[in-house]
Amino acid sequence: MAGIRVTEVDWQWPRNGAAHHTQEYPCPELVVRRGQMFTFILELNRPLDSKDTLIFTVETGPQASEALCTKAVFQTSELEVGNVWTAVKEDQQGNTVTISITSPPDAVIGRYQLSTRLSSRRKHSDRQLGEFVLLFNPWCPEDDVFLASEEERQEYVLNDSGIIFRGVEKCIRAQGWNYGQFEEDILDICLSILDRSPSHQNDPATDVSCRHDPIYVTRVISAMVNSNNDRGVVQGQWQGKYGGGTSPLHWRGSVAILHKWFKGRFKPVKYGQCWVFAGVMCTVLRCLGIATRVVSNFNSAHDTDRNLSVDKYVDSFGRTLEDLTEDSMWNFHVWNESWFARQDLGPSYNGWQVLDATPQEESEGVFRCGPASVTAIREGDVHLAHDGPFVFAEVNADYITWLWNEDDDSRERVYSDTKKIGRCISTKAVGSDSRVDITGLYKYPEGSRKERQVYSKAVRKLFGVEASGRRARVRRGGGRGLWRDDLLEPATKPSIAGKFKVLEPPMVGHDLKLALCLTNLSSRAQRLRVNLSSATILYTRRPVAEILHESRAVRLGPEEEKKIPITISYSQYKEGLTEDKKILMAAMCLVTKGDKLLVEKDITLEDFITIKVLGPAMVGVAVVVEVMVVNPLLERAEDCMLMVEGSGLLQGQLSINVPSLEPQERALVQFNITPSKSGPRQLQVDFVSPHFSDIKGFVIIHVATAK
């Protein structure tokens, strides 16, 4: 009888793609998920008989070995057995044999080579069948990344667009983001990110063998999405100057960034800030099969000395003294959460894990953060891996304001809101564009007994001492060598109260009108000096340009309320306004009898864009989109453009010229798109001009399948 050999392979792409939720990947090779059977058909030169044996080999990475679990050799059996690679002969029809292979639910993820050896009466025929890519599997109950809810799997694994929340606590803005994990070459790029990591370059065989573990993989990706240690994907820039690169606010999604990094031979892409790092990491982790979402924390602490306190030093006008202030509180900070089990910590800490690719502080010598269990953060278990103290401080640190006296290098505590850190922690809702507040996942209600207990527990874990209320006696790091017991007593509550109130919607190009509302809490008349200052700022609250600096004497009668009107003209803030469109107001109120009160308000200037789809959207059929834009300025705007992007709606990016606009003139712009994929699709439209910051908008288009 003639020797037996394979003549053809049918990978059953539609069948396997549907079963594994991988049909959206445009790769030439099969993409499947671990812990789940996939099927293919072998065409042989003759029928398989009982004396023929069929042996398969799978291997991934360099120097693949069975000892490292990067190689497996197995033959067909009648049924699946145990937590190993198995092959089952499902059917035989003449010369064709249907084979099902199942990988273990903890198999290494990545690109595999599949080969077979057919043996018949001491004759062997070896054949390379081809490559397939194996991903994490949130649909498999035995996989560490298993997520029980189908609605959540659709959102956090398969949704290729999303929303990132930015702005300030009192004015949260939604920004669309194109994750695009199913776009051309993105899966290849995500796998190459793992291969470009220092751990892979140093010891590729061991690195690949660790890729069964979502803890390991996410920690590598957290380091590789920023470029600080490793020529990773995105280079950060927080100085407001973006020469030689792209402003972080100009990116509309991850696809262009990943393509640029890959095609530029792994040269870091300029530039990113926190939401860019988070958007890119969300793309990579969803692409690899780990359920991931983007999370925004408003009033986010950056506690450089890890004393659970953000210490801000100001002058007599409430202006931040940058050379003394090491800690900071950003208007918002964006990170990721991924869902997986913590085999290293125990089942209590399974679920959402914080990951942060923004390069803020080093973790074990590398700029990365996480995974840190959200449950561990809420319960104050900050000693657990990884980076719990930093994340705990981001949402729990106290905000302490100090008035610095340059004459004698002394400081004095100023009354201000100490509990402003970690507000409105937000993520996109499952299945809709709504904002969901998840602050309760990170901490118990502010001021509650449980919250105080958790804080004390965290202090014990961090410093080995007992907390007194919200404070502990601990030697501070840093240059000033201050003791934490100088924080034990809160600042004396002053006899006045104050807040800023915006009188008209703050619009780009218009004067800013607001009032400082002061209330005398005493039954006696009081005199005070109000030192007002204002500056344009970055979203990190770093001042850029001072636009107001004045002092006023105020008399308040017994229990009197008084409004001090303030106007900042467009000409005052025009030159200093950054793309973040943010202004910080400060009023240092100095009462004659010695009380001090600092009042602050962060203001985000608003803009306007509307997007309409004129008719039903259908795959393969052109549909008209109409965009209304407004020149926000009191001067003529020229050289304006619309930049349009949307996965499944158009290929790449679309640029459309907008005619010159007179002051505050409106314009309607129409263009066609031809959807290529069905389902809900996000279309992003940015109104771009050299005269003002990008005005961003997006719309969800529900695309029907072709009739």
Side-chain angles (χ1 to χ4, degrees):
M1 183 179 287
I4 191 165
R5 56 189 169 80
V6 176
T7 59
E8 198 173 331
V9 183
D10 176 1
W11 288 102
Q12 296 283 288
W13 271 289
R15 175 180 176 181
N16 288 316
H20 287 253
H21 307 91
T22 56
Q23 63 267 50
E24 294 288 333
Y25 291 98
C27 309
E29 66 267 89
L30 183 67
V31 181
V32 291
R33 300 187 188 275
R34 67 184 190 178
Q36 184 175 337
M37 178 182 75
F38 66 92
T39 303
F40 55 93
I41 297 173
L42 298 178
E43 183 81 30
L44 309 176
N45 64 326
R46 65 165 174 79
L48 198 66
D49 67 31
S50 59
K51 295 180 181 178
D52 298 326
T53 60
L54 193 53
I55 299 173
F56 293 98
T57 300
V58 292
E59 46 193 336
T60 183
Q63 300 140 26
S65 74
E66 291 176 275
L68 290 173
C69 297
T70 52
K71 178 180 179 180
V73 181
F74 50 98
Q75 66 183 65
T76 51
S77 61
E78 295 304 314
L79 44 88
E80 298 179 30
V81 288
N83 192 25
V84 293
W85 287 87
T86 58
V88 175
K89 186 173 75 171
E90 298 282 355
D91 187 33
Q92 181 172 350
Q93 303 266 342
N95 289 9
T96 64
V97 180
T98 302
I99 302 291
S100 291
I101 286 181
T102 303
S103 60
D106 61 351
V108 167
I109 61 106
R111 182 173 280 104
Y112 278 81
Q113 300 281 345
L114 174 64
S115 58
T116 183
R117 166 170 282 195
L118 274 163
S119 300
S120 176
R121 297 177 180 83
R122 298 184 183 177
K123 293 182 180 179
H124 305 303
S125 170
D126 293 337
R127 165 81 183 252
Q128 289 286 339
L129 299 181
E131 293 185 344
F132 66 93
V133 175
L134 191 68
L135 303 177
F136 290 104
N137 192 353
W139 283 265
C140 174
E142 290 78 34
D143 195 318
D144 278 353
V145 305
F146 173 66
L147 182 60
S149 163
E150 176 61 22
E151 291 80 7
E152 290 184 350
R153 292 190 294 245
Q154 291 291 326
E155 180 68 54
Y156 299 136
V157 183
L158 300 182
N159 195 348
D160 60 4
S161 66
I163 292 171
I164 299 176
F165 293 101
R166 301 171 58 248
V168 294
E169 175 199 351
K170 301 291 187 184
C171 183
I172 296 173
R173 304 286 294 275
Q175 174 187 336
W177 193 265
N178 176 24
Y179 298 124
Q181 67 266 37
F182 304 118
E183 293 291 300
E184 200 74 41
D185 298 326
I186 294 299
L187 178 56
D188 277 347
I189 295 170
C190 293
L191 294 172
S192 72
I193 290 173
L194 291 171
D195 289 344
R196 298 298 302 178
S197 71
S199 50
H200 186 80
Q201 301 291 312
N202 294 335
D203 187 352
T206 301
D207 168 68
V208 171
S209 74
C210 294
R211 294 183 188 174
H212 69 282
D213 182 3
I215 301 169
Y216 179 84
V217 170
T218 56
R219 195 152 168 79
V220 169
I221 296 298
S222 171
M224 281 299 297
V225 167
N226 71 68
S227 67
N228 284 45
N229 305 99
D230 42 36
R231 282 174 60 85
V233 180
V234 180
Q235 182 173 325
Q237 173 60 274
W238 283 269
Q239 304 305 314
K241 298 172 183 175
Y242 310 115
T246 300
S247 161
L249 279 159
H250 290 186
W251 299 115
R252 285 166 287 279
S254 309
V255 176
I257 295 170
L258 290 166
H259 279 158
K260 187 167 185 176
W261 178 75
F262 191 66
K263 291 174 182 175
R265 298 186 177 182
F266 315 113
K267 184 179 179 182
V269 177
K270 301 176 180 179
Y271 292 102
Q273 290 173 357
C274 65
W275 66 92
V276 179
F277 293 108
V280 171
M281 187 151 69
C282 188
T283 296
V284 175
L285 295 180
R286 285 188 184 182
C287 188
L288 297 178
I290 299 176
T292 302
R293 62 189 185 183
V294 172
V295 172
S296 300
N297 176 37
F298 290 87
N299 297 346
S300 188
H302 183 170
D303 181 20
T304 57
D305 51 20
R306 301 199 174 189
N307 69 342
L308 298 185
S309 167
V310 169
D311 298 298
K312 175 177 174 173
Y313 290 79
V314 300
D315 65 10
S316 60
F317 278 75
R319 297 173 297 189
T320 303
L321 298 171
E322 294 288 315
D323 56 337
L324 290 176
T325 303
E326 297 173 355
D327 299 334
S328 60
M329 182 191 77
W330 295 9
N331 284 148
F332 65 93
H333 180 47
V334 185
W335 59 68
N336 299 93
E337 288 176 0
S338 291
W339 181 278
F340 49 84
R342 292 302 297 265
Q343 302 290 357
D344 57 333
L345 304 182
S348 299
Y349 303 100
N350 292 351
W352 291 117
Q353 313 292 325
V354 172
L355 293 150
D356 192 348
T358 300
Q360 295 183 95
E361 298 289 332
E362 290 186 347
S363 171
E364 297 175 334
V366 177
F367 280 99
R368 60 188 168 188
C369 182
S373 162
V374 174
T375 298
I377 300 304
R378 189 185 67 224
E379 300 302 328
D381 294 323
V382 294
H383 61 296
L384 299 176
H386 294 272
D387 307 309
F390 186 77
V391 179
F392 185 87
E394 285 183 304
V395 300
N396 279 298
D398 279 353
Y399 185 73
I400 311 297
T401 306
W402 301 96
L403 176 60
W404 186 258
N405 188 334
E406 292 185 354
D407 295 336
D408 59 2
D409 282 353
S410 65
R411 65 179 191 165
E412 181 181 354
R413 179 84 179 268
V414 178
Y415 187 83
S416 62
D417 181 5
T418 62
K419 305 294 188 289
K420 63 176 13 174
I421 300 289
R423 297 280 184 86
C424 302
I425 303 176
S426 304
T427 193
K428 176 188 176 297
V430 172
S432 82
D433 294 336
S434 304
R435 182 181 71 87
V436 177
D437 191 308
I438 58 170
T439 308
L441 297 182
Y442 281 83
K443 55 186 181 179
Y444 291 96
E446 196 74 63
S448 67
R449 182 181 178 189
K450 184 66 175 176
E451 184 261 348
R452 290 194 298 273
Q453 290 172 344
V454 166
Y455 191 92
S456 297
K457 178 182 180 182
V459 168
R460 284 199 309 275
K461 299 286 187 185
L462 282 176
F463 307 120
V465 295
E466 291 297 322
S468 173
R470 290 272 290 185
R471 297 283 159 232
R473 181 181 174 88
V474 182
R475 180 72 173 175
R476 279 193 58 178
R480 293 179 299 282
L482 302 168
W483 291 89
R484 281 291 300 276
D485 62 352
D486 59 3
L487 306 186
L488 285 172
E489 294 301 323
T492 304
K493 191 168 184 177
S495 54
I496 56 168
K499 65 178 181 179
F500 283 107
K501 184 176 182 180
V502 177
L503 302 179
E504 295 178 2
M507 302 290 293
V508 173
H510 293 236
D511 293 352
L512 182 60
K513 296 182 178 180
L514 62 162
L516 175 63
C517 305
L518 295 174
T519 304
N520 185 356
L521 303 177
S522 161
S523 56
R524 296 198 313 257
Q526 299 202 78
R527 294 185 181 277
L528 56 150
R529 177 156 295 279
V530 178
N531 293 335
L532 291 166
S533 66
S534 180
T536 57
I537 57 170
L538 303 173
Y539 83 99
T540 59
R541 293 187 111 211
R542 180 175 172 269
V544 174
E546 187 170 74
I547 56 178
L548 178 69
H549 181 168
E550 63 182 48
S551 186
R552 302 188 189 184
V554 177
R555 182 187 182 279
L556 290 174
E559 299 179 357
E560 181 187 4
E561 294 182 14
K562 185 171 283 188
K563 292 183 179 179
I564 301 172
I566 302 164
T567 299
I568 299 176
S569 68
Y570 173 56
S571 61
Q572 282 176 272
Y573 71 76
K574 173 184 174 182
E575 297 301 326
L577 192 67
T578 72
E579 293 183 331
D580 291 315
K581 305 175 195 169
K582 295 187 187 301
I583 291 173
L584 175 61
M585 299 292 306
M588 182 67 82
C589 304
L590 307 170
V591 183
T592 304
K593 68 172 190 149
D595 285 355
K596 296 175 179 63
L597 171 70
L598 177 64
V599 183
E600 292 183 308
K601 187 173 183 66
D602 297 86
I603 298 168
T604 302
L605 302 182
E606 299 172 5
D607 46 39
F608 173 87
I609 187 170
T610 62
I611 308 165
K612 291 181 181 178
V613 182
L614 305 182
M618 188 177 299
V619 171
V621 179
V623 64
V624 177
V625 177
E626 182 179 82
V627 179
M628 177 182 283
V629 294
V630 180
N631 174 10
L633 307 181
L634 299 172
E635 56 194 53
R636 182 181 172 90
E638 299 176 339
D639 303 319
C640 300
M641 298 183 72
L642 293 183
M643 302 296 293
V644 186
E645 182 176 324
S647 285
L649 295 173
L650 65 161
Q651 293 293 320
Q653 296 179 340
L654 187 64
S655 302
I656 302 161
N657 290 323
V658 177
S660 297
L661 296 172
E662 296 302 319
Q664 300 187 313
E665 181 186 357
R666 298 186 175 218
L668 285 175
V669 182
Q670 292 188 348
F671 57 89
N672 288 351
I673 59 170
T674 304
S676 58
K677 294 181 179 179
S678 62
R681 298 285 159 189
Q682 184 186 88
L683 183 72
Q684 293 183 59
V685 182
D686 286 9
F687 182 32
V688 178
S689 166
H691 305 281
F692 48 82
S693 303
D694 291 7
I695 296 174
K696 294 179 166 292
F698 68 91
V699 65
I700 302 298
I701 301 175
H702 293 272
V703 181
T705 53
K707 292 181 179 178

